[in-house]
PDB file of all heavy atoms in Angstrom:
ATOM      1  N   GLY A1592      11.949  14.037 -17.806  1.00  0.00           N
ATOM      2  CA  GLY A1592      11.645  12.714 -18.354  1.00  0.00           C
ATOM      3  C   GLY A1592      11.283  12.789 -19.830  1.00  0.00           C
ATOM      4  O   GLY A1592      11.728  11.958 -20.633  1.00  0.00           O
ATOM      5  N   ASP A1593      10.495  13.782 -20.211  1.00  0.00           N
ATOM      6  CA  ASP A1593      10.150  13.969 -21.622  1.00  0.00           C
ATOM      7  C   ASP A1593      11.372  14.375 -22.436  1.00  0.00           C
ATOM      8  O   ASP A1593      11.548  13.923 -23.568  1.00  0.00           O
ATOM      9  CB  ASP A1593       9.056  15.033 -21.777  1.00  0.00           C
ATOM     10  CG  ASP A1593       7.712  14.553 -21.259  1.00  0.00           C
ATOM     11  OD1 ASP A1593       7.516  13.330 -21.147  1.00  0.00           O
ATOM     12  OD2 ASP A1593       6.865  15.410 -20.966  1.00  0.00           O
ATOM     13  N   LEU A1594      12.214  15.205 -21.862  1.00  0.00           N
ATOM     14  CA  LEU A1594      13.404  15.693 -22.563  1.00  0.00           C
ATOM     15  C   LEU A1594      14.372  14.554 -22.889  1.00  0.00           C
ATOM     16  O   LEU A1594      14.902  14.477 -23.996  1.00  0.00           O
ATOM     17  CB  LEU A1594      14.106  16.756 -21.705  1.00  0.00           C
ATOM     18  CG  LEU A1594      15.316  17.445 -22.304  1.00  0.00           C
ATOM     19  CD1 LEU A1594      14.888  18.301 -23.491  1.00  0.00           C
ATOM     20  CD2 LEU A1594      15.994  18.309 -21.269  1.00  0.00           C
ATOM     21  N   PHE A1595      14.580  13.635 -21.942  1.00  0.00           N
ATOM     22  CA  PHE A1595      15.503  12.523 -22.158  1.00  0.00           C
ATOM     23  C   PHE A1595      14.806  11.269 -22.696  1.00  0.00           C
ATOM     24  O   PHE A1595      15.407  10.207 -22.751  1.00  0.00           O
ATOM     25  CB  PHE A1595      16.254  12.189 -20.865  1.00  0.00           C
ATOM     26  CG  PHE A1595      17.237  13.243 -20.459  1.00  0.00           C
ATOM     27  CD1 PHE A1595      17.097  13.930 -19.262  1.00  0.00           C
ATOM     28  CD2 PHE A1595      18.313  13.553 -21.278  1.00  0.00           C
ATOM     29  CE1 PHE A1595      18.001  14.892 -18.886  1.00  0.00           C
ATOM     30  CE2 PHE A1595      19.218  14.515 -20.913  1.00  0.00           C
ATOM     31  CZ  PHE A1595      19.069  15.201 -19.714  1.00  0.00           C
ATOM     32  N   GLN A1596      13.529  11.406 -23.048  1.00  0.00           N
ATOM     33  CA  GLN A1596      12.738  10.342 -23.651  1.00  0.00           C
ATOM     34  C   GLN A1596      12.665   9.085 -22.781  1.00  0.00           C
ATOM     35  O   GLN A1596      12.748   7.957 -23.269  1.00  0.00           O
ATOM     36  CB  GLN A1596      13.272   9.999 -25.043  1.00  0.00           C
ATOM     37  CG  GLN A1596      13.187  11.164 -25.981  1.00  0.00           C
ATOM     38  CD  GLN A1596      13.808  10.888 -27.333  1.00  0.00           C
ATOM     39  OE1 GLN A1596      14.510   9.905 -27.509  1.00  0.00           O
ATOM     40  NE2 GLN A1596      13.540  11.766 -28.281  1.00  0.00           N
ATOM     41  N   VAL A1597      12.532   9.301 -21.489  1.00  0.00           N
ATOM     42  CA  VAL A1597      12.292   8.205 -20.542  1.00  0.00           C
ATOM     43  C   VAL A1597      11.020   8.505 -19.752  1.00  0.00           C
ATOM     44  O   VAL A1597      10.926   8.209 -18.569  1.00  0.00           O
ATOM     45  CB  VAL A1597      13.503   7.991 -19.593  1.00  0.00           C
ATOM     46  CG1 VAL A1597      14.671   7.387 -20.325  1.00  0.00           C
ATOM     47  CG2 VAL A1597      13.894   9.271 -18.896  1.00  0.00           C
ATOM     48  N   ASP A1598      10.048   9.100 -20.445  1.00  0.00           N
ATOM     49  CA  ASP A1598       8.858   9.588 -19.765  1.00  0.00           C
ATOM     50  C   ASP A1598       8.010   8.476 -19.147  1.00  0.00           C
ATOM     51  O   ASP A1598       7.418   8.668 -18.095  1.00  0.00           O
ATOM     52  CB  ASP A1598       8.007  10.456 -20.695  1.00  0.00           C
ATOM     53  CG  ASP A1598       7.730   9.800 -22.031  1.00  0.00           C
ATOM     54  OD1 ASP A1598       8.477   8.895 -22.410  1.00  0.00           O
ATOM     55  OD2 ASP A1598       6.759  10.212 -22.687  1.00  0.00           O
ATOM     56  N   GLN A1599       7.968   7.280 -19.753  1.00  0.00           N
ATOM     57  CA  GLN A1599       7.177   6.191 -19.174  1.00  0.00           C
ATOM     58  C   GLN A1599       7.790   5.719 -17.852  1.00  0.00           C
ATOM     59  O   GLN A1599       7.084   5.549 -16.854  1.00  0.00           O
ATOM     60  CB  GLN A1599       7.064   5.022 -20.143  1.00  0.00           C
ATOM     61  CG  GLN A1599       6.157   3.937 -19.622  1.00  0.00           C
ATOM     62  CD  GLN A1599       6.006   2.788 -20.604  1.00  0.00           C
ATOM     63  OE1 GLN A1599       6.691   2.726 -21.615  1.00  0.00           O
ATOM     64  NE2 GLN A1599       5.111   1.871 -20.300  1.00  0.00           N
ATOM     65  N   LEU A1600       9.104   5.536 -17.823  1.00  0.00           N
ATOM     66  CA  LEU A1600       9.777   5.117 -16.598  1.00  0.00           C
ATOM     67  C   LEU A1600       9.692   6.201 -15.528  1.00  0.00           C
ATOM     68  O   LEU A1600       9.403   5.911 -14.363  1.00  0.00           O
ATOM     69  CB  LEU A1600      11.240   4.773 -16.890  1.00  0.00           C
ATOM     70  CG  LEU A1600      12.060   4.240 -15.727  1.00  0.00           C
ATOM     71  CD1 LEU A1600      11.485   2.933 -15.207  1.00  0.00           C
ATOM     72  CD2 LEU A1600      13.509   4.059 -16.143  1.00  0.00           C
ATOM     73  N   ILE A1601       9.917   7.449 -15.925  1.00  0.00           N
ATOM     74  CA  ILE A1601       9.822   8.559 -14.967  1.00  0.00           C
ATOM     75  C   ILE A1601       8.387   8.700 -14.464  1.00  0.00           C
ATOM     76  O   ILE A1601       8.162   8.956 -13.277  1.00  0.00           O
ATOM     77  CB  ILE A1601      10.312   9.883 -15.604  1.00  0.00           C
ATOM     78  CG1 ILE A1601      11.815   9.832 -15.841  1.00  0.00           C
ATOM     79  CG2 ILE A1601       9.954  11.086 -14.750  1.00  0.00           C
ATOM     80  CD1 ILE A1601      12.654   9.816 -14.586  1.00  0.00           C
ATOM     81  N   GLY A1602       7.413   8.519 -15.343  1.00  0.00           N
ATOM     82  CA  GLY A1602       6.011   8.591 -14.922  1.00  0.00           C
ATOM     83  C   GLY A1602       5.684   7.550 -13.863  1.00  0.00           C
ATOM     84  O   GLY A1602       5.022   7.844 -12.865  1.00  0.00           O
ATOM     85  N   ARG A1603       6.170   6.327 -14.066  1.00  0.00           N
ATOM     86  CA  ARG A1603       5.948   5.279 -13.069  1.00  0.00           C
ATOM     87  C   ARG A1603       6.666   5.607 -11.764  1.00  0.00           C
ATOM     88  O   ARG A1603       6.129   5.416 -10.678  1.00  0.00           O
ATOM     89  CB  ARG A1603       6.430   3.934 -13.602  1.00  0.00           C
ATOM     90  CG  ARG A1603       5.554   3.372 -14.664  1.00  0.00           C
ATOM     91  CD  ARG A1603       6.050   2.049 -15.150  1.00  0.00           C
ATOM     92  NE  ARG A1603       5.118   1.488 -16.121  1.00  0.00           N
ATOM     93  CZ  ARG A1603       5.235   0.301 -16.644  1.00  0.00           C
ATOM     94  NH1 ARG A1603       6.249  -0.482 -16.313  1.00  0.00           N
ATOM     95  NH2 ARG A1603       4.348  -0.132 -17.511  1.00  0.00           N
ATOM     96  N   TYR A1604       7.901   6.081 -11.887  1.00  0.00           N
ATOM     97  CA  TYR A1604       8.684   6.431 -10.699  1.00  0.00           C
ATOM     98  C   TYR A1604       8.004   7.550  -9.911  1.00  0.00           C
ATOM     99  O   TYR A1604       7.906   7.477  -8.685  1.00  0.00           O
ATOM    100  CB  TYR A1604      10.097   6.841 -11.115  1.00  0.00           C
ATOM    101  CG  TYR A1604      10.950   7.327  -9.985  1.00  0.00           C
ATOM    102  CD1 TYR A1604      11.405   6.454  -9.005  1.00  0.00           C
ATOM    103  CD2 TYR A1604      11.296   8.672  -9.880  1.00  0.00           C
ATOM    104  CE1 TYR A1604      12.188   6.896  -7.956  1.00  0.00           C
ATOM    105  CE2 TYR A1604      12.082   9.124  -8.836  1.00  0.00           C
ATOM    106  CZ  TYR A1604      12.515   8.238  -7.880  1.00  0.00           C
ATOM    107  OH  TYR A1604      13.287   8.690  -6.848  1.00  0.00           O
ATOM    108  N   LEU A1605       7.521   8.576 -10.611  1.00  0.00           N
ATOM    109  CA  LEU A1605       6.864   9.694  -9.933  1.00  0.00           C
ATOM    110  C   LEU A1605       5.565   9.254  -9.260  1.00  0.00           C
ATOM    111  O   LEU A1605       5.255   9.683  -8.146  1.00  0.00           O
ATOM    112  CB  LEU A1605       6.595  10.836 -10.913  1.00  0.00           C
ATOM    113  CG  LEU A1605       7.834  11.564 -11.429  1.00  0.00           C
ATOM    114  CD1 LEU A1605       7.451  12.590 -12.467  1.00  0.00           C
ATOM    115  CD2 LEU A1605       8.594  12.213 -10.286  1.00  0.00           C
ATOM    116  N   PHE A1606       4.797   8.387  -9.941  1.00  0.00           N
ATOM    117  CA  PHE A1606       3.563   7.888  -9.337  1.00  0.00           C
ATOM    118  C   PHE A1606       3.876   7.056  -8.097  1.00  0.00           C
ATOM    119  O   PHE A1606       3.213   7.189  -7.061  1.00  0.00           O
ATOM    120  CB  PHE A1606       2.770   7.055 -10.348  1.00  0.00           C
ATOM    121  CG  PHE A1606       1.507   6.489  -9.779  1.00  0.00           C
ATOM    122  CD1 PHE A1606       0.408   7.301  -9.578  1.00  0.00           C
ATOM    123  CD2 PHE A1606       1.424   5.155  -9.420  1.00  0.00           C
ATOM    124  CE1 PHE A1606      -0.767   6.789  -9.035  1.00  0.00           C
ATOM    125  CE2 PHE A1606       0.260   4.633  -8.875  1.00  0.00           C
ATOM    126  CZ  PHE A1606      -0.827   5.453  -8.690  1.00  0.00           C
ATOM    127  N   TYR A1607       4.889   6.212  -8.194  1.00  0.00           N
ATOM    128  CA  TYR A1607       5.303   5.370  -7.061  1.00  0.00           C
ATOM    129  C   TYR A1607       5.770   6.242  -5.891  1.00  0.00           C
ATOM    130  O   TYR A1607       5.343   6.061  -4.752  1.00  0.00           O
ATOM    131  CB  TYR A1607       6.423   4.438  -7.518  1.00  0.00           C
ATOM    132  CG  TYR A1607       6.864   3.437  -6.494  1.00  0.00           C
ATOM    133  CD1 TYR A1607       6.175   2.241  -6.327  1.00  0.00           C
ATOM    134  CD2 TYR A1607       7.988   3.661  -5.707  1.00  0.00           C
ATOM    135  CE1 TYR A1607       6.589   1.294  -5.390  1.00  0.00           C
ATOM    136  CE2 TYR A1607       8.403   2.729  -4.771  1.00  0.00           C
ATOM    137  CZ  TYR A1607       7.702   1.559  -4.618  1.00  0.00           C
ATOM    138  OH  TYR A1607       8.110   0.639  -3.693  1.00  0.00           O
ATOM    139  N   LYS A1608       6.603   7.209  -6.210  1.00  0.00           N
ATOM    140  CA  LYS A1608       7.141   8.093  -5.179  1.00  0.00           C
ATOM    141  C   LYS A1608       6.030   8.917  -4.524  1.00  0.00           C
ATOM    142  O   LYS A1608       6.001   9.069  -3.299  1.00  0.00           O
ATOM    143  CB  LYS A1608       8.196   9.004  -5.821  1.00  0.00           C
ATOM    144  CG  LYS A1608       8.960   9.852  -4.855  1.00  0.00           C
ATOM    145  CD  LYS A1608      10.099  10.553  -5.538  1.00  0.00           C
ATOM    146  CE  LYS A1608       9.591  11.586  -6.495  1.00  0.00           C
ATOM    147  NZ  LYS A1608      10.606  12.536  -6.913  1.00  0.00           N
ATOM    148  N   GLN A1609       5.105   9.429  -5.341  1.00  0.00           N
ATOM    149  CA  GLN A1609       4.001  10.208  -4.794  1.00  0.00           C
ATOM    150  C   GLN A1609       3.072   9.337  -3.959  1.00  0.00           C
ATOM    151  O   GLN A1609       2.548   9.775  -2.941  1.00  0.00           O
ATOM    152  CB  GLN A1609       3.220  10.889  -5.921  1.00  0.00           C
ATOM    153  CG  GLN A1609       2.173  11.841  -5.426  1.00  0.00           C
ATOM    154  CD  GLN A1609       2.737  12.881  -4.497  1.00  0.00           C
ATOM    155  OE1 GLN A1609       3.736  13.518  -4.793  1.00  0.00           O
ATOM    156  NE2 GLN A1609       2.117  13.073  -3.345  1.00  0.00           N
ATOM    157  N   GLY A1610       2.885   8.087  -4.368  1.00  0.00           N
ATOM    158  CA  GLY A1610       2.066   7.161  -3.585  1.00  0.00           C
ATOM    159  C   GLY A1610       2.665   6.887  -2.217  1.00  0.00           C
ATOM    160  O   GLY A1610       1.961   6.868  -1.207  1.00  0.00           O
TER     161      GLY A1610
END
Side-chain angles (χ1 to χ4, degrees):
D1593 290 340
L1594 184 67
F1595 290 118
Q1596 298 175 347
V1597 289
D1598 50 339
Q1599 185 178 8
L1600 183 62
I1601 291 292
R1603 288 181 176 185
Y1604 175 70
L1605 291 175
F1606 179 75
Y1607 185 83
K1608 187 172 68 164
Q1609 187 55 49

